[in-house]
Amino acid sequence: MKEYDLVIGLEIHAEIDTKTKAFCFCKNEFGALPNTQVCPICLGLPGTLPILNKKAVEKCIIAGLVFGCDINEETIFERKNYFYPDLSKSYQISQFQKPICKNGGIKLKNGKFVRFNRIHLEEDAGKLIHKDDCDETLIDFNRGGVPLIEMVTEPDLSNSNEVIEFLTNLRRILLYSGVSKCIMQEGGLRFDINLSVKEKNTDNLGVRVEMKNLNSFKAVKKAIEYETNRQIKEIESGNQIIQETRAWNDEDEITYGIREKENVNDYRYFPDPDIVPIKISKHDIESIKKNIPETYFDRIIRYKRLGLSDYEIDTLTDEKFIADYFDEVLKYSSNYKEIANWMMTEILRITKEMPNTDIAKLISPESLAYIIDLIITKQLTRNNAKILFEQIINTGKEVKNLIKELDLIGDVNKKDIVDLMGHLINENPNIVKSYKDNPEDIINYCIGRIVKSTNGKAKIEYIMPLIKEILKSKIN
Ligand code: ADP
Ligand code: MG
Ligand code: ZN
C-alpha cells in the first residue's frame, strides 16, 4: 500500500453571545419554548426590513482581533440563496466578497501556524425536529436569525491531534474574549471538516469531502479517522473520491453521503439590498480593542507567573467560569497552590455532579478561601476541611457557624489524650493485653477511636507517640 498524507481544512460556526438576534429584536437565548422567540423580520415575512445588530458586528471584530486577523475597512452583507425548510426566507444573510475579517490564525505547539482564510458574520437557521413517535418533522425558528461567526481555515491541518489542539485553543480564545459561550451541547459551536488524502510527498491536493455539523471533539476525532480510512480504501481499490457532503452518525461512528457538493455559483450570492455597506474605521477598532476582556493567552501568562504548572493551567482554564471562580478565591487567600488543588479536585467534582449550578452560590469564594487558610495554618485537619466543605454544599449554612456547630476546630492536648486513653482502657482492658502480641493493630485502633471522639481534631502525627507511650507504661 502507498503512503498517504492527510489534508484538513475547517469551517467553524460559533453562536455570538448577544442579547438579541442579528437583524431583529428577538431574544438570543437557548431553551425557550419552540417558536416563542420569532418576529416578522426573522421569519422573513414580506415587507419587513433587517436592522443590523451593532453588538454582533463588534463581537465579530473582536474575534478577528484575538485571532490576529486584518479587519476590512468596508464590509458588506450578501444573500446566500437556497431552499431548505429551516430557512424561512429561502436565503441566509451572510458575507461573501467582503467579510469583516481576513487572514489571522492560531499557532500550534509544534510550531505550525494554521491560517484563517476569513471570519465573517451571518445568521443561523431554524432547527428541524424529527419526532420519533410520528412521521412528521417540526420546525423551531427560535434559532433562526441568531448571529453566528463562521471561521474558515486554509487546508493547513494534517492529523486529528492537530485538529483537536487547534479547536481546543479556538474554543477557549472565543470563550475568554466573550464572543461566544461556545456551548457545544446546545449547538453553540459546530464544526465542518473538509478532508482529503494525497500520496505522500506530492503537491496536488486530493478531492475533498465535507463532513457537516459535528459538535463534540470526540466526534471530530472519530470522523477524521473513519473518513481517512474510507478515502484510502477507495483510492486503493482504484475508485475516484467524489466531492460530496457527508454527515456523521454518532451512534454507528460512520460518515455517509448526503448530497453532492454544491458549487458556490449555485448560491447566487448577491449584496443584500436591504443592508448598506458598513465602514469600520481605525478609530472604531481602537475603541473595540479597549473593551476586550483578559484574553485566554493573557490568563495563561498570569497563571504561569503565579506559579501554577502547565497541567494545572490547562485544567483550570478549560472552562472560563472555573478560572473566574479561582480568581475570586484568590482575592481572599494567597495560598494559590492549595486553592488550585481544591479547584482541581473538589470544585471540578462538584461541577460535574451538579452541572449548570453556579458554584459561587453553593460555596462562596470567600468561604473556600477561609477553609483553605485554616488548613494552611494547621487549625483544621484536611479531613475536617472536606467534611466542612461537603456540609456547606449540602446545607448552605455559613462556614463559621458550621465550624462551631460541628466542633471542628480547637487544640487537642496531652491531657485530653491521657483521659481518652484512660476511658478506652477502662471500657476494654483487652487493649493492654493484646498490645504485646499485636502492637500495630492496637495502636491503629486507638488512633481511630481518639480521632473520632475528638471530631477529627486530633492530628495523627501528634497523638501516635503519646498513645504508644501510654500503652507501654501500662504493660510494664
Ligand atoms: P465551501 O464554502 O464551498 O465549503 P471554501 O472554499 O470556503 O468552500 O472551503 C472550505 C474548506 O475546505 C476550507 O476550510 C478549506 O481549507 C478546505 N479545503 C479546500 N480544499 C481542500 C482539500 N483539497 N482538502 C481538504 N480541505 C480542503
Ligand atoms: Mg463548506
Ligand atoms: Zn425576530
Side-chain angles (χ1 to χ4, degrees), residues 266-376:
D266 297 336
Y267 289 124
R268 292 159 31 246
Y269 276 101
F270 65 87
D272 191 314
D274 294 338
I275 307 171
V276 294
I278 312 292
K279 301 257 190 242
I280 304 168
S281 69
K282 295 247 164 359
H283 177 262
D284 292 332
I285 295 175
E286 284 313 311
S287 61
I288 289 171
K289 251 187 205 162
K290 285 195 199 114
N291 291 325
I292 303 180
E294 183 183 36
T295 64
Y296 170 56
F297 293 116
D298 286 345
R299 185 83 67 129
I300 292 182
I301 292 169
R302 183 156 63 80
Y303 288 170
K304 272 208 172 118
R305 289 209 182 112
L306 195 61
L308 298 184
S309 71
D310 287 348
Y311 176 70
E312 286 167 331
I313 295 173
D314 191 53
T315 314
L316 285 182
T317 54
D318 190 47
E319 288 297 351
K320 181 168 179 289
F321 75 93
I322 300 275
D324 287 346
Y325 183 87
F326 174 68
D327 281 349
E328 285 300 310
V329 184
L330 272 182
K331 286 186 189 159
Y332 301 98
S333 165
S334 55
N335 293 304
Y336 67 91
K337 268 282 169 193
E338 187 68 25
I339 302 174
N341 273 339
W342 277 75
M343 295 296 306
M344 314 266 293
T345 50
E346 303 308 314
I347 297 291
L348 280 186
R349 176 175 60 80
I350 294 290
T351 58
K352 289 215 175 77
E353 283 169 11
M354 295 182 242
N356 305 324
T357 31
D358 181 357
I359 342 166
K361 291 223 170 85
L362 289 174
I363 177 162
S364 72
E366 195 174 358
S367 302
L368 183 60
Y370 185 73
I371 297 178
I372 284 168
D373 286 349
L374 289 175
I375 300 173
I376 298 293

Side-chain angles (χ1 to χ4, degrees), residues 440-452:
E440 263 185 34
D441 286 353
I442 294 300
I443 289 171
N444 284 336
Y445 170 76
C446 294
I447 289 175
R449 290 291 301 266
I450 288 180
V451 167
K452 196 162 175 223

Side-chain angles (χ1 to χ4, degrees), residues 41-58:
I41 298 176
C42 55
L43 289 174
L45 302 190
T48 57
L49 288 171
I51 304 142
L52 178 61
N53 182 341
K54 192 174 171 196
K55 275 273 173 258
V57 177
E58 280 177 10

Side-chain angles (χ1 to χ4, degrees), residues 252-271:
D252 303 336
E253 301 186 340
I254 56 166
T255 65
Y256 57 96
I258 44 177
R259 57 176 183 263
E260 283 204 13
K261 175 94 189 113
E262 52 290 282
N263 195 296
V264 158
N265 295 333
D266 297 336
Y267 289 124
R268 292 159 31 246
Y269 276 101
F270 65 87

